[in-house]
Amino acid sequence: MFRFLNLVVLGIVIAAAMCQPAHSQQRAGLLYDELQSGAVGSYAQWTENVAVTVFHNPANSTLFGVECADVKFIARKGTPLQWAEGTLDDQVVAVGFSALEDREGVAKHEVSGKVNHSVVPLCELGGRSYLTYLMMFDGQALPGMSGGPVFRAKDGRAIGIVKGTHRDLHTTAFVTYEMIKKAWDYGRLNGLVPNP
């Protein structure tokens, strides 16, 4: 009987560990060593050899970027995230690094909210106009979280990267997976993407 109870308890512990939210098992990368004046920035792993961040993070290892989409691809090795398209009303968790609320230095932070708005300005890529897909959620990311992944809470898939925060409205804008993919495809078509 004692052995049976131990197995049941072990099964419950394993099941609980497997039910942890997927975003808590995912990582945001830290851009610290490359940024000017000790600033902090974040990134999300796109492929095994390439990560994505926002264009305004001045990383030295930039492969190529699309300024109007605020997307930049950088040389970084890691396990790629699972990506998907997001929708309005998705519950999300943004993950990134900030030194703002940590007296000890730079620390990883998570901010959650609900996607409540989308914006679609135009972006010029190679003489063609594209829609730039931005979404917003009702949580306030910290400075330094820009470029970090935004995960859909229900399945842990990355649906974008943090662009910035509107402090007065307590919302965070993020570049969507669709726009990151368009920028990546543009780079591949124009020979900007390195061979694996």
Side-chain angles (χ1 to χ4, degrees):
M1 180 69 172
F2 183 70
R3 184 189 292 256
F4 175 74
L5 286 177
N6 281 343
L7 289 174
V8 170
V9 170
L10 178 62
I12 292 170
V13 168
I14 290 171
M18 291 177 66
C19 291
Q20 290 292 319
H23 62 82
S24 68
Q25 299 169 14
Q26 304 284 4
R27 292 190 28 198
L30 172 63
L31 287 175
Y32 184 71
D33 54 331
E34 294 189 21
L35 298 181
Q36 301 164 356
S37 67
V40 176
S42 303
Y43 67 86
Q45 199 66 35
W46 183 250
T47 70
E48 287 183 4
N49 297 309
V50 178
V52 62
T53 189
V54 286
F55 192 86
H56 64 266
N57 277 346
N60 294 330
S61 58
T62 299
L63 300 171
F64 74 95
V66 179
E67 186 173 9
C68 65
D70 202 8
V71 173
K72 179 188 294 186
F73 295 94
I74 56 176
R76 282 284 190 282
K77 291 193 179 291
T79 303
L81 300 176
Q82 293 181 344
W83 293 84
E85 294 181 11
T87 60
L88 288 176
D89 295 327
D90 276 343
Q91 292 291 329
V92 296
V93 178
V95 180
F97 289 87
S98 179
L100 187 64
E101 291 190 354
D102 190 345
R103 296 179 194 170
E104 302 295 317
V106 177
K108 181 177 165 185
H109 294 275
E110 294 186 3
V111 176
S112 25
K114 180 179 174 183
V115 177
N116 57 14
H117 191 70
S118 63
V119 182
V120 190
L122 284 177
C123 178
E124 290 286 326
L125 290 177
R128 294 184 59 195
S129 292
Y130 292 90
L131 299 177
T132 304
Y133 301 97
L134 299 174
M135 288 185 155
M136 299 170 89
F137 69 89
D138 59 359
Q140 191 167 341
L142 301 171
M145 291 179 71
S146 294
V150 177
F151 295 105
R152 188 169 47 204
K154 72 179 178 182
D155 62 8
R157 291 184 178 267
I159 63 170
I161 57 173
V162 174
K163 177 177 174 61
T165 297
H166 191 297
R167 294 194 187 287
D168 293 338
L169 298 177
H170 302 287
T171 59
T172 297
F174 63 96
V175 181
T176 63
Y177 162 73
E178 295 94 329
M179 191 63 236
I180 298 167
K181 177 90 169 70
K182 282 184 188 296
W184 178 254
D185 291 344
Y186 170 78
R188 290 180 65 198
L189 269 150
N190 290 285
L192 303 172
V193 175
N195 291 327

